Amino acid sequence: AQSVTQPDIHITVSEGASLELRCNYSYGATPYLFWYVQSPGQGLQLLLKYFSGDTLVQGIKGFEAEFKRSQSSFNLRKPSVHWSDAAEYFCAVGDVYNFNKFYFGSGTKLNVKP
Amino acid sequence: IAGITQAPTSQILAAGRRMTLRCTQDMRHNAMYWYRQDLGLGLRLIHYSNTAGTTGKGEVPDGYSVSRANTDDFPLTLASAVPSQTSVYFCASSDQAGANVLTFGAGSRLTVL
């Protein structure tokens, strides 16, 4: 069965420090992969997506993610975190055979220390 | 600004009452979805619609119904609300031409007492 695991429920980093949020998935083929960000009281906003090609994808707000097929992972990274990055981050898998099927991780809440 | 509008933003409801959450999109997306978000559980799909006139059940459909009379609107109805339906509800849409990307509304926070 398809699933998405975000092993870190909460992460706290200092402003200016680097960030890596982990995401592992279970899927029978290479899926479409997404990272969404949710600020408090808001809906989810797409940060970046991977469909094919270069396994390192760039997104908005200085985020990037790397698809590693051998590890079934799609970790999100940012070299220097800003206080405004404090939010909840969701990894998601899109079914390549059904464009309307998505599987979400349970989210990682990021706190940023001044 | 193109996007998804949800209403109400927040609602407190007595158990047993009927409630409809409204969702309207202006992007002409084919597919629409209703998710609920609960702490520690992420987003769970309630119902979806691939196109106007069709609907389908998601992961947690019990106690909810939807309709899709046209492309733009996708209301979610709780026929008789129960406290376990206290949650934040998100409407979303996607278009195959837009390569599987979900666009979300700002959410409706529902409290059932």
Side-chain angles (χ1 to χ4, degrees):
Chain A
Q2 296 83 354
S3 66
V4 180
T5 301
Q6 293 180 246
D8 304 306
I9 299 173
H10 293 278
I11 283 186
T12 298
V13 299
S14 297
E15 191 168 17
S18 63
L19 171 70
E20 182 169 27
L21 302 183
R22 295 182 290 165
C23 173
N24 292 94
Y25 65 88
S26 174
Y27 187 77
T30 299
Y32 298 137
L33 296 161
F34 308 85
W35 275 99
Y36 287 86
V37 60
Q38 184 181 30
S39 298
Q42 302 295 315
L44 279 71
Q45 179 187 16
L46 180 70
L47 273 179
L48 48 79
K49 61 184 184 288
Y50 171 80
F51 290 159
S52 64
D54 193 343
T55 56
L56 184 64
V57 294
Q58 303 297 320
I60 62 171
K61 305 183 181 186
F63 285 91
E64 66 178 26
E66 185 171 13
F67 167 56
K68 293 187 177 180
R69 185 191 309 273
S70 62
Q71 299 176 19
S72 297
S73 69
F74 190 56
N75 294 349
L76 181 71
R77 302 194 294 247
K78 186 168 184 178
S80 177
V81 169
H82 188 263
W83 64 266
S84 61
D85 293 325
E88 191 158 18
Y89 293 80
F90 292 91
C91 181
V93 160
D95 192 310
V96 299
Y97 303 111
N98 296 285
F99 79 96
N100 61 354
K101 286 198 183 299
F102 300 88
Y103 307 93
F104 282 86
S106 55
T108 297
K109 191 163 187 179
L110 174 65
N111 295 318
V112 180
K113 290 191 301 185
Chain B
I1 297 176
I4 294 180
T5 302
Q6 290 186 235
T9 303
S10 180
Q11 182 76 43
I12 298 173
L13 188 67
R17 297 296 296 268
R18 181 183 179 89
M19 178 71 193
T20 295
L21 304 180
R22 301 184 298 279
C23 174
T24 300
Q25 55 112 349
D26 61 2
M27 299 170 286
R28 309 300 293 174
H29 283 175
N30 300 113
M32 296 187 75
Y33 314 80
W34 275 105
Y35 288 90
R36 60 177 290 173
Q37 184 180 32
D38 303 288
L39 193 64
L41 297 176
L43 279 84
R44 293 181 291 169
L45 182 65
I46 304 170
H47 284 287
Y48 65 93
S49 168
N50 287 342
T51 188
T54 69
T55 62
K57 293 182 179 180
E59 184 183 356
V60 288
D62 294 342
Y64 305 94
S65 64
V66 292
S67 61
R68 187 90 183 274
N70 57 60
T71 297
D72 299 342
D73 300 299
F74 190 45
L76 176 74
T77 297
L78 290 66
S80 179
V82 295
S84 62
Q85 292 178 311
T86 294
S87 187
V88 181
Y89 292 85
F90 287 98
C91 181
S93 69
S94 71
D95 191 328
Q96 192 168 11
N100 296 63
V101 175
L102 284 168
T103 299
F104 285 87
S108 295
R109 180 176 294 275
L110 183 66
T111 302
V112 183
L113 301 177

